[in-house]
Amino acid sequence: LPNLRHISFFLSSCPPLQEEWQGASIDIKAAHKRMPIREDERGSLLFKFDDRLFAYRSAHFGAKTSAWRWGRVSGALLRLLHSLLYFRHAAWVYVDDFFLLFPKSAVQFTLAIILLRTIGTPLSWKKLEFDRTIDWNGRTIHPGTMIAQLPPSKQEKINSLITTVLQSPSRKNLEKIIGILLWATSLVHHVRFLLTSLYRDLYSILVTNYSIKPTEWESFLNLLNDCATITTHNHLHLPVGSRLVEFKHTPITSRSQLPRDVKI
């Protein structure tokens, strides 16, 4: 699957044009669902309902076999476009979203649309774009200036996820923010080290069990402050800053809830 690095490499390595590059975005409408599956090949598209087996007749979105089949079709479409356009162009496809670069003239773009319609390719006309600025794969791309940026909607989504993680730092929310930040930094790998703290939080053990010997119970109590938090380094190898959350299946919020001694 192509990303911004592929487009950047092309624009930085190709000979300069007298006129500015323009981009085109072509989306295939309901690409997976348009692919009928032969009856003897529907075994990977079965599902069970009310003790009966059903099979999809087309490649529904989400199935592994759908991605495999559509990948072959999209690859064939891309090769046909390359063969027809041939001169002074570039083209990539991300699943069912095609991104093409042409010189300023609209002739090649028109030829691409004519080819796709001639072979019956269903296009999403409302998503069709041909301009000096193109929205593709979640980013706004300016081919003439080699600048790509996150649109306001994506920026707002990232800010919203950051706020959610700060208010509710659950594993699910951490996975969401890490995923979108990995995608957002796909072109600027040198800033990905800033995500290390999120990965550290994601794989940190929030709660673990410790066994305290009865003979060391008094020493253990002396390590705790009023909030049942360990404040000093100790021979029990308990991490400083950790807090006691449970004792014998009873939630603990303060040191006063603990017994003064335990039976040996």
Side-chain angles (χ1 to χ4, degrees):
L1 296 175
N3 54 41
L4 290 179
R5 297 178 68 87
H6 297 88
I7 300 172
S8 175
F9 176 78
F10 168 78
L11 290 173
S12 61
S13 60
C14 68
L17 291 179
Q18 293 181 350
E19 51 190 352
E20 191 175 282
W21 285 105
Q22 289 198 190
S25 177
I26 302 175
D27 183 84
I28 310 301
K29 187 175 182 180
H32 293 75
K33 297 177 183 178
R34 303 279 183 172
M35 296 166 47
I37 306 299
R38 286 173 42 175
E39 187 173 356
D40 59 350
E41 294 184 2
R42 295 175 187 169
S44 57
L45 297 171
L46 295 173
F47 66 95
K48 190 175 183 179
F49 176 74
D50 197 20
D51 290 329
R52 297 175 62 193
L53 278 177
F54 296 85
Y56 284 93
R57 295 182 177 181
S58 61
H60 68 88
F61 188 80
K64 291 183 178 180
T65 184
S66 301
W68 179 81
R69 294 175 186 277
W70 170 248
R72 294 164 65 88
V73 175
S74 63
L77 292 176
L78 187 64
R79 289 192 292 273
L80 285 173
L81 287 171
H82 280 311
S83 298
L84 174 68
L85 301 174
Y86 188 70
F87 183 71
R88 285 286 193 191
H89 81 283
W92 300 267
V93 58
Y94 189 96
V95 187
D96 58 357
D97 294 333
F98 287 80
F99 181 74
L100 303 96
L101 292 178
F102 307 109
K104 195 172 183 180
S105 171
V107 175
Q108 287 176 297
F109 174 65
T110 305
L111 287 175
I113 298 299
I114 291 174
L115 170 65
L116 293 174
R117 291 304 299 140
T118 300
I119 61 178
T121 308
L123 303 181
S124 180
W125 295 105
K126 64 180 181 180
K127 296 181 181 179
L128 195 66
E129 291 185 85
F130 178 62
D131 204 345
R132 287 180 292 181
T133 301
I134 295 294
D135 291 329
W136 180 72
N137 197 19
R139 295 179 176 84
T140 302
I141 303 173
H142 308 262
T145 57
M146 293 182 62
I147 293 176
Q149 63 187 108
L150 294 178
S153 59
K154 295 295 182 182
Q155 297 179 31
E156 292 174 4
K157 183 176 181 179
I158 291 175
N159 291 333
S160 175
L161 281 174
I162 291 174
T163 301
T164 302
V165 168
L166 292 175
Q167 294 175 349
S168 179
S170 65
R171 184 180 183 85
K172 183 177 180 180
N173 290 335
L174 279 171
E175 288 175 344
K176 285 183 179 180
I177 189 63
I178 288 174
I180 195 169
L181 289 178
L182 280 174
W183 167 81
T185 57
S186 61
L187 187 60
V188 282
H189 286 187
H190 57 278
V191 302
R192 282 189 169 176
F193 75 94
L194 297 173
L195 305 181
T196 54
S197 58
L198 293 176
Y199 275 103
R200 184 169 56 247
D201 291 342
L202 181 64
Y203 292 104
S204 295
I205 300 175
L206 297 180
V207 179
T208 188
N209 291 323
Y210 279 94
S211 177
I212 306 297
K213 297 179 180 179
T215 54
E216 296 176 334
W217 183 253
E218 185 176 355
S219 300
F220 169 69
L221 291 179
N222 293 332
L223 299 175
L224 303 177
N225 61 14
D226 293 338
C227 297
T229 301
I230 297 174
T231 57
T232 59
H233 293 282
N234 54 87
H235 68 284
L236 300 177
H237 304 293
L238 299 174
V240 176
S242 59
R243 187 174 66 85
L244 182 65
V245 296
E246 188 178 283
F247 173 72
K248 290 187 176 181
H249 307 293
T250 301
I252 299 295
T253 57
S254 66
R255 184 174 180 270
S256 59
Q257 293 177 266
L258 296 171
R260 296 302 307 171
D261 52 29
V262 292
K263 294 181 179 180
I264 299 178

